[in-house]
Amino acid sequence: MYKSGFSICAILIFLFILSAALQAQYSGGSGEPNNPYKISTVADWQTLMKTPSHWDKHFILTANLDLQGIMLSPVGNNPKAFTGVFDGNGHIIRNVVLQQPDSQCVGLFGYVDQNGQICKIGLENVEITGSDLVGGLVGFCNSGNLDNCYAVGSVSGSWCVGGLVGDNSGSLTSCYATGSVSGDRNVGGLVGDNFFGNLNDCYAASFVTGEKCAGGLVGGNMVGNLTACYATGLVIGVGAVGGLVGWNVNGTVNNCCSTITASGEYDIGGLVGSNRGGILTFCYAKGSIEGTGFGVGCLVGMNDKGSITACYATGSVNGRSSVGGLVGLNKAGSVNERPNVVDLVGLDKEGSISACYAICIVSGEDSVGGLVGKNRSKASLIDCYAAGSVSGNIYVGGLLGSNDDSVVTACYSTGSINGENYIGGLVGGDYNGSIIACFWDIETSGWATSAGGVGRTTAEMKTRSTFTNAGWDFVGETENGTEDIWSVCEGTNYPRLTWQIPSSDWLCPDGVGMEDFSYLAQFWMIPEAGNTTADLDKNNAVGISDLLLFCEQWLRGK
């Protein structure tokens, strides 16, 4: 009995000493959810790097760290991933230098697997080089979660290279990256490749260079979801180069935008370079887009069986063929025809475009149109407009360069037109197609003839009855429909799509201005004002919060 008691006592003492020794490896904590290991010093970080058995534990950063001069290795690798929780606690880690040009899964955290979480951490002065799956913070995020993280610096590699994450199939929320990112394929300012991943409220402001699939935010987005994200900066590549996403395959991009300069050879877009089966809704792009080949657009370079709804683009686009103010090349099947240059859509084959607009300066060679360069094979266009200038050589029109066996309904154009042969105010050439209830401005376009449509004066184009008499669905009438697709400030503006009109634009002319401010002021602090449109925040009163919302739209120039 004595020996047995002594043995038990010895074991307990050993376990106590072992536990104390393990805790002593860090600045405190036990690695449990309610008592995470405390990372307070560079020595603590070095311990974390060298102790894979702890990579499923909980950690909290309790001070800023400077890793200058420290030989770093990624936390988490293949086969031993990081599956724990790392809370940056709002602190910053500086001088993160990792040079592993022949390695995969390279980042401060190399491999974050399922259940792994990283939050509230910033990295500054990052210099990371790897081969594949290379990111400023995480090389490969496989079903992990990143929240409120950022990285500033330079990241380079070959395949799946991102300013924050190299390859992501997890979730990123409120994250950003700035600096430079370079690689060969799937290169993005924030994420190199987003495979079934989700990005919410994220952005990148970067200089991105890659050969194929290079994007200001994401290089390749395969069945991933992007919501409320944006990108600024410069993107340069060869093919599938986009201001936000280089290559979008069956992915969803909603309420996103880019203000960027993008250049390359083919499939170059201000928002998405190549959109294959993807869905874009309520997105826009502003910038300068340059392409030396085909499929160059202010919003999307090439749209293949994708869907684009309630989107717009402004700026300038220049390319050789299939160049458009919204989409360069739009198709739903194989195309063996010569590419075309357009203002809104390059080549629309068996596709449908609705409720979109473009105000881009576009130049090309043949089949150049303010809305569509060549519309063919049962394609349909409805409720769209183009207001940018169009210039080309042959088959040039304010709305369509040429229309082949397709239907165009309730569309208009106002831009100036310059060309050499087969020029039309609305359509350059029409072949077995139907153009229904469409108009162009004979004064601003400089052309009184067209292969289809009806020419009107500027005054007539700003008159509601011109369009309602032709069956257009306008606000305030039900005879032509109840969807209220169009609205117009008669005598001062052309028709606009109702989705593009800001909630503070109550009075004519178009745009939020002093006349709208006067409207808001007359309901200020009046009890019954909650029943008016001046109650922007819907709290049954017109007060400070409504004024702030009004000013926000005014300052945005809407």
Side-chain angles (χ1 to χ4, degrees):
M1 290 293 294
Y2 174 77
K3 289 183 178 180
S4 176
F6 178 80
S7 298
I8 293 173
C9 184
I11 291 172
L12 290 174
I13 292 173
F14 172 77
L15 291 175
F16 175 79
I17 294 173
L18 178 62
S19 176
L22 288 174
Q23 290 194 38
Q25 294 180 68
Y26 301 99
S27 294
S30 62
E32 298 302 316
N34 59 349
N35 188 26
Y37 285 131
K38 295 180 180 179
I39 305 295
S40 303
T41 66
V42 172
D44 290 337
W45 186 266
Q46 289 175 308
T47 299
L48 172 59
M49 286 192 306
K50 298 174 182 178
T51 316
S53 61
H54 290 180
W55 291 350
D56 61 350
K57 306 301 182 184
H58 287 68
F59 298 86
I60 186 168
L61 188 61
T62 59
N64 296 335
L65 299 182
D66 189 340
L67 301 181
Q68 186 170 14
I70 303 300
M71 182 67 69
L72 298 178
S73 61
V75 174
N77 54 42
N78 190 7
K80 181 61 177 178
F82 180 82
T83 57
V85 175
F86 191 93
D87 182 355
N89 198 28
H91 290 292
I92 301 169
I93 299 179
R94 295 184 173 89
N95 297 308
V96 180
V97 180
L98 262 168
Q99 301 296 325
Q100 298 183 348
D102 299 321
S103 299
Q104 296 182 342
C105 299
V106 181
L108 187 65
F109 289 82
Y111 190 154
V112 177
D113 211 343
Q114 191 172 10
N115 299 322
Q117 299 179 42
I118 302 173
C119 66
K120 293 179 285 188
I121 185 172
L123 305 185
E124 296 181 359
N125 196 21
V126 170
E127 293 182 26
I128 292 182
T129 300
S131 176
D132 302 333
L133 290 74
V134 185
L137 178 62
V138 178
F140 181 26
C141 181
N142 184 27
S143 301
N145 294 287
L146 276 63
D147 187 7
N148 278 284
C149 300
Y150 75 86
V152 178
S154 63
V155 181
S156 62
S158 179
W159 177 66
C160 294
V161 185
L164 191 76
V165 178
D167 193 343
N168 175 60
S169 59
S171 177
L172 275 65
T173 304
S174 300
C175 295
Y176 73 89
T178 66
S180 63
V181 185
S182 61
D184 296 327
R185 188 181 181 94
N186 287 26
V187 185
L190 187 78
V191 175
D193 185 62
N194 188 48
F195 185 70
F196 284 88
N198 297 298
L199 275 63
N200 296 282
D201 190 30
C202 296
Y203 77 90
S206 305
F207 174 32
V208 180
T209 58
E211 184 176 347
K212 294 182 179 179
C213 305
L217 187 82
V218 175
N221 184 45
M222 296 187 65
V223 204
N225 299 299
L226 278 61
T227 304
C229 296
Y230 73 92
T232 64
L234 173 65
V235 184
I236 299 175
V238 177
V241 179
L244 190 82
V245 179
W247 192 44
N248 185 46
V249 181
N250 296 322
T252 300
V253 182
N254 178 53
N255 195 28
C256 294
C257 67
S258 65
T259 54
I260 212 156
T261 297
S263 64
E265 184 178 336
Y266 61 90
D267 295 351
I268 316 298
L271 190 82
V272 176
S274 177
N275 186 45
R276 296 178 179 270
I279 299 173
L280 312 181
T281 55
F282 293 103
C283 295
Y284 73 85
K286 298 180 179 181
S288 175
I289 312 302
E290 295 281 340
T292 59
F294 61 88
V296 187
C298 271
L299 189 83
V300 176
M302 191 271 287
N303 184 48
D304 185 357
K305 300 180 182 178
S307 172
I308 303 173
T309 305
C311 295
Y312 74 94
T314 63
S316 64
V317 58
N318 179 50
R320 182 175 59 84
S321 60
S322 294
V323 183
L326 193 76
V327 178
L329 176 63
N330 185 50
K331 63 179 184 177
S334 61
V335 179
N336 297 315
E337 298 288 330
R338 180 176 56 188
N340 311 284
V341 181
V342 303
D343 191 0
L344 187 60
V345 176
L347 178 61
D348 180 15
K349 186 174 187 295
E350 300 177 355
S352 175
I353 301 168
S354 63
C356 290
Y357 75 92
I359 307 175
C360 268
I361 301 170
V362 180
S363 59
E365 296 181 3
D366 64 274
S367 293
V368 186
L371 188 69
V372 175
K374 179 177 283 189
N375 194 42
R376 58 169 296 171
S377 301
K378 310 298 182 182
S380 67
L381 302 175
I382 184 169
D383 296 319
C384 295
Y385 74 89
S389 62
V390 184
S391 61
N393 294 325
I394 185 171
Y395 292 115
V396 182
L399 187 76
L400 297 170
S402 61
N403 186 52
D404 184 2
D405 194 26
S406 297
V407 179
V408 182
T409 307
C411 296
Y412 77 88
S413 65
T414 63
S416 62
I417 305 164
N418 289 286
E420 299 294 331
N421 299 296
Y422 296 97
I423 314 301
L426 189 78
V427 182
D430 180 65
Y431 306 95
N432 300 317
S434 298
I435 300 173
I436 304 167
C438 293
F439 304 90
W440 85 93
D441 190 321
I442 60 176
E443 297 179 59
T444 58
S445 68
W447 289 88
T449 60
S450 173
V454 178
R456 297 295 189 192
T457 64
T458 299
E460 290 172 324
M461 290 289 290
K462 296 179 180 180
T463 301
R464 173 187 167 106
S465 60
T466 297
F467 305 95
T468 55
N469 289 344
W472 288 37
D473 186 350
F474 267 73
V475 172
E477 60 82 32
T478 58
E479 184 178 350
N480 298 329
T482 58
E483 295 182 41
D484 293 342
I485 297 169
W486 296 95
S487 180
V488 65
C489 281
E490 286 198 277
T492 59
N493 300 96
Y494 296 103
R496 287 196 298 171
L497 297 161
T498 52
W499 66 259
Q500 71 178 103
I501 301 174
S503 57
S504 295
D505 187 5
W506 297 295
L507 303 177
C508 292
D510 285 342
V512 179
M514 283 300 300
E515 66 283 349
D516 301 298
F517 180 73
S518 298
Y519 176 83
L520 178 72
Q522 68 178 303
F523 296 106
W524 187 259
M525 298 300 184
I526 297 177
E528 59 270 22
N531 296 321
T532 71
T533 55
D535 181 18
L536 295 172
D537 62 0
K538 307 302 180 184
N539 69 346
N540 296 318
V542 176
I544 292 296
S545 58
D546 299 296
L547 178 60
L548 292 175
L549 290 171
F550 173 83
C551 291
E552 181 182 349
Q553 293 188 359
W554 196 353
L555 291 172
R556 285 206 303 259
K558 291 189 174 183

